[in-house]
Amino acid sequence: MKTDNAVIEMSSRAVKRLPKILNRFQSSSFPDNAPTLLKNEQWLESFDRKIGYNERELELSYESVPMGAKFPVKINSIPSKGRYIEIESPLSYFTSTSYFRKFNKHSRTQGNFVDSRIVRCKSGSGGSGCISFARDANHRIGPPDGGDGGRGGDVYVKAVEGMNSLAKLKSSYIAGDGGSGAARQLDGAAGKDILIKVPIGTTIRWSLDPDDVRQRIEKDMQADKNKSLKDILNSRMIDLKCVGKYYQDVDTYFMQLFRNTRPLMDSWIFKHKTREYHEDKAWFKQLNQNMIGYDKSLHYNELRNDKFPLFGIDLKETTKTPICLLHGGEGGLGNMHFLTSMIRNPRFARVGRYGLHSHFLFELKSIADLGLIGLPNAGKSTILNKISNARPRIGDWKFTTLIPTLGTISRGITKSSFTVADIPGIIEDAHLDKGMGLEFLKHIERSRGWVFVLSLEDNAPLNDLMLLIKEVGGMDEVMKRNVLVVCNKADIGRDSPQYMGKYLDILNFCRTQSWDCLPISALKGANIDLLVDKMARCAGTD
Ligand SMILES: Nc1nc2c(ncn2[C@@H]2O[C@H](COP(=O)(O)OP(=O)(O)OP(=O)(O)O)[C@@H](O)[C@H]2O)c(=O)[nH]1
């Protein structure tokens, strides 16, 4: 009796729920926006016809990016049929010397200043497509409704105000992979994009994998123990594949970036029936043929997008729209795309495309109107201290300045202000990496004017000037800019004919080059106002 009551109670509960259940069955219908059988067939056939692509048909459009400065490359082959231009270049252009310095003497930095980083970047892989079949009350198994995988995340870069060092950059940036597709035609979530923020004045170049470079360096060092790191990096040549608007204009050269790819059969995922089962079927072989065409279309699309300017990009001002360094991989197709008259139950879907993996060399080049060049102890920091708001370290020993310091010189509301960069002192054979080397020259490379600071206290300041000119790249390099020669420490032995002689030698030389020359005492503040006027002229702001 007790049991009967329980049964009655249960069935009355079921009867109460019945309208709800029925309602659910009636309202559930198969997804109506899945591609139809006919659409799928037309779509798949279109790829069969597109197998033969002409590589040169790929247009070379690229989102507009601020290009970096050219450097010499040897062009070994130009495309007569294919797409690639083979170039040869010294290893040094595609890596960072300071990165490999064994005993990094430049690590004695002041504060948190880092101006060169090799960064590993990876865009996300596409998510896998889903294998699913719609169900409802009337159909145990309905049409395929597996959604597509989401796109892999991209890696972007952007120059922003308020940063003045690359110290905060991470050693690697990895964008998110796309999510897998789901039943009911749901596409997977797109992978998370990465945005790398850098200071204004940063240049970015494609770089070789530092591990590969290290191996090459070690090999070369074993072969010739006397060779310096710099020699190896400059003499070792590498071959690279580039693309360009054919060969007419070097400016439009791009590095071609390549993704990993899978063999065709590995890009399928199967459910219920095995890969071997499918491989034997004629309808699957036909589908595979179509997929070769589809994969090719994806591949060409990737080739079109996956490129990076050979000479890098130069972020001289705030970036408005972030620039894409690496594009994420396309998501895999869900099984709803494979319903055809031959394939009623596609128990397979496709995996997503791989993301890209590459290294980039980030270098910060300060953007100062003027650069101060001098031997250590010439008084550069004292000058900057005197004329600007900057407070660089000053000391009576060599290499007080270990990092570049930027100062702004304001000249009231009627005249434009200008910026001056003080870089570490340069010594003989700095181009061979002596002293602080020449790496800091990049901070004044783009300056409109160079101010050579000489110390009249030295034995032969004119020789110092010649040495500095030689070290910074010779007269050709110097003549690209406005030049001002400053003879500092004029307070010492002011009245002695010896000091006067040194100054007159320099003055005569400067006259032959039509350069301005000025004696000053930064310590005593003598001729400082005149110096500021002449500097403004040299900076082109007067
Ligand atoms: N007598 C005299 N001494 C000066 C003058 N200018 C700078 N000095 C001194 O020279 C020394 C070096 O000055 P810094 O300004 O540090 O020289 P620097 O060129 O920046 O040196 P590094 O940092 O090594 O490149 C300090 O002791 C200064 O006080 C000057 O006009 N007269």
Side-chain angles (χ1 to χ4, degrees):
M1 201 57 202
K2 213 175 180 184
T3 355
D4 283 354
N5 276 345
V7 170
I8 292 162
E9 213 173 280
M10 263 176 64
S11 52
S12 70
R13 235 185 292 145
V15 169
K16 266 189 212 157
R17 279 173 57 205
L18 199 59
K20 256 190 186 172
I21 295 168
L22 277 176
N23 200 13
R24 207 169 66 207
F25 274 17
Q26 272 157 12
S27 67
S28 81
S29 57
F30 293 135
D32 49 7
N33 53 348
T36 61
L37 184 147
L38 195 68
K39 270 201 177 142
N40 277 344
E41 281 180 349
Q42 284 169 352
W43 175 73
L44 286 165
E45 261 172 41
S46 73
F47 291 115
D48 203 17
R49 273 182 269 123
K50 274 193 194 163
I51 288 180
Y53 268 93
N54 177 356
E55 291 205 326
R56 289 190 70 169
E57 269 174 20
L58 295 172
E59 85 243 40
L60 286 159
S61 61
Y62 193 83
E63 58 193 287
S64 118
V65 290
M67 299 281 181
K70 287 184 214 171
F71 49 78
V73 289
K74 196 174 147 217
I75 295 157
N76 282 340
S77 86
I78 48 177
S80 53
K81 275 200 211 116
R83 174 165 193 257
Y84 297 110
I85 301 159
E86 274 160 32
I87 62 143
E88 203 180 295
S89 156
L91 190 54
S92 53
Y93 288 123
F94 294 101
T95 192
S96 153
T97 323
S98 57
Y99 185 90
F100 292 102
R101 223 182 291 277
K102 250 192 182 160
F103 305 104
N104 194 354
K105 48 195 168 178
H106 300 186
S107 59
R108 308 173 285 152
T109 54
Q110 290 165 1
N112 207 11
F113 186 81
V114 178
D115 61 358
S116 169
R117 293 288 296 265
I118 293 184
V119 171
R120 185 170 82 96
C121 296
K122 194 178 168 304
S123 59
S125 298
S128 297
C130 167
I131 309 165
S132 155
F133 294 90
R135 289 157 176 266
D136 70 11
N138 306 320
H139 303 78
R140 205 166 56 82
I141 180 160
D145 72 345
D148 301 340
R151 257 193 77 82
D154 301 332
V155 180
Y156 293 93
V157 69
K158 183 181 177 174
V160 293
E161 300 230 19
M163 283 180 84
N164 53 14
S165 161
L166 298 177
K168 282 197 177 148
L169 243 61
K170 291 198 250 169
S171 54
S172 66
Y173 288 92
I174 300 173
D177 291 338
S180 299
R184 306 198 134 255
Q185 303 164 27
L186 286 178
D187 288 349
K192 202 165 179 257
D193 294 336
I194 293 271
L195 177 65
I196 308 174
K197 287 186 185 162
V198 294
I200 297 168
T202 303
T203 63
I204 305 165
R205 292 224 303 264
W206 177 85
S207 151
L208 288 155
D209 184 339
D211 290 338
D212 291 348
V213 178
R214 188 172 290 117
Q215 281 172 15
R216 290 185 208 211
I217 293 171
E218 277 166 8
K219 227 184 193 173
D220 287 6
M221 275 191 167
Q222 273 165 9
D224 185 351
K225 292 207 165 70
N226 294 328
K227 256 190 168 178
S228 72
L229 174 72
K230 211 165 186 171
D231 288 344
I232 292 174
L233 293 178
N234 281 330
S235 58
R236 180 67 114 122
M237 302 301 277
I238 51 156
D239 298 323
L240 294 167
K241 270 188 175 176
C242 289
V243 285
K245 261 221 156 69
Y246 307 131
Y247 38 86
Q248 286 154 2
D249 189 355
V250 169
D251 279 2
T252 55
Y253 282 3
F254 294 92
M255 292 284 314
Q256 182 68 62
L257 308 179
F258 295 98
R259 295 166 189 256
N260 287 339
T261 46
R262 298 182 179 85
L264 186 65
M265 272 314 283
D266 291 350
S267 53
W268 289 108
I269 28 179
F270 300 98
K271 204 171 167 184
H272 303 315
K273 300 277 190 214
T274 61
R275 168 178 171 156
E276 288 71 29
Y277 165 87
H278 285 93
E279 264 170 347
D280 282 348
K281 304 287 180 245
W283 48 265
F284 191 76
K285 283 183 188 157
Q286 176 54 44
L287 177 65
N288 246 343
Q289 273 302 314
N290 297 127
M291 281 297 110
I292 293 176
Y294 173 72
D295 280 355
K296 251 190 167 178
S297 75
L298 284 187
H299 176 63
Y300 282 117
N301 214 15
E302 286 164 357
L303 285 182
R304 206 172 287 141
N305 290 324
D306 299 346
K307 48 191 199 272
F308 190 77
L310 176 66
F311 304 112
I313 55 178
D314 191 352
L315 306 176
K316 281 186 203 160
E317 46 195 49
T318 318
T319 320
K320 287 186 189 91
T321 319
I323 297 166
C324 188
L325 295 182
L326 299 178
H327 293 268
E330 205 59 54
L333 296 173
N335 71 336
M336 63 179 178
H337 296 281
F338 304 117
L339 174 75
T340 64
S341 47
M342 297 288 286
I343 311 169
R344 292 303 174 145
N345 293 319
R347 297 186 188 92
F348 41 79
R350 306 201 84 218
V351 290
R353 306 279 294 183
Y354 283 117
L356 274 167
H357 180 201
S358 201
H359 288 80
F360 292 96
L361 169 62
F362 286 68
E363 280 187 303
L364 176 60
K365 299 182 178 184
S366 309
I367 304 169
D369 298 313
L370 286 183
L372 299 181
I373 301 174
L375 296 185
N377 241 353
K380 300 178 292 300
S381 307
T382 315
I383 293 176
L384 191 62
N385 205 11
K386 216 49 185 205
I387 61 174
S388 76
N389 51 354
R391 291 292 165 263
R393 276 210 312 185
I394 298 172
D396 199 8
W397 62 87
K398 290 184 178 179
F399 298 119
T400 333
T401 311
L402 297 174
I403 57 164
T405 314
L406 224 63
T408 304
I409 288 94
S410 309
R411 302 167 66 223
I413 42 168
T414 50
K415 292 177 180 169
S416 354
S417 56
F418 58 93
T419 50
V420 180
D422 173 24
I423 60 164
I426 290 170
I427 61 166
E428 189 165 10
D429 287 339
H431 68 283
L432 300 176
D433 242 9
K434 294 268 165 61
M436 298 289 287
L438 288 177
E439 264 156 49
F440 291 106
L441 271 189
K442 61 175 173 271
H443 294 287
I444 56 164
E445 189 187 289
R446 300 192 274 207
S447 302
R448 230 168 304 153
W450 279 354
V451 179
F452 288 95
V453 180
L454 308 173
S455 164
L456 288 178
E457 200 184 14
D458 288 359
N459 290 337
L462 181 59
N463 291 352
D464 295 348
L465 178 61
M466 296 307 168
L467 184 147
L468 290 170
I469 292 172
K470 187 177 130 223
E471 292 298 334
V472 297
M475 253 326 181
D476 288 348
E477 199 55 41
V478 175
M479 295 303 262
K480 289 180 190 163
R481 295 148 183 106
N482 303 330
V483 176
L484 170 65
V485 177
V486 174
C487 302
N488 190 28
K489 308 197 184 179
D491 55 302
I492 308 173
R494 201 171 39 158
D495 305 322
S496 90
Q498 197 198 354
Y499 270 63
M500 196 48 122
K502 289 188 218 174
Y503 168 66
L504 288 176
D505 286 348
I506 298 165
L507 184 66
N508 287 334
F509 174 76
C510 289
R511 280 190 180 143
T512 62
Q513 303 298 325
S514 312
W515 294 343
D516 235 339
C517 175
L518 181 72
I520 65 156
S521 168
L523 194 70
K524 301 270 158 73
N527 262 354
I528 288 298
D529 290 343
L530 200 54
L531 173 70
V532 171
D533 287 346
K534 286 194 186 287
M535 277 181 143
R537 211 165 303 143
C538 188
T541 52
D542 206 23

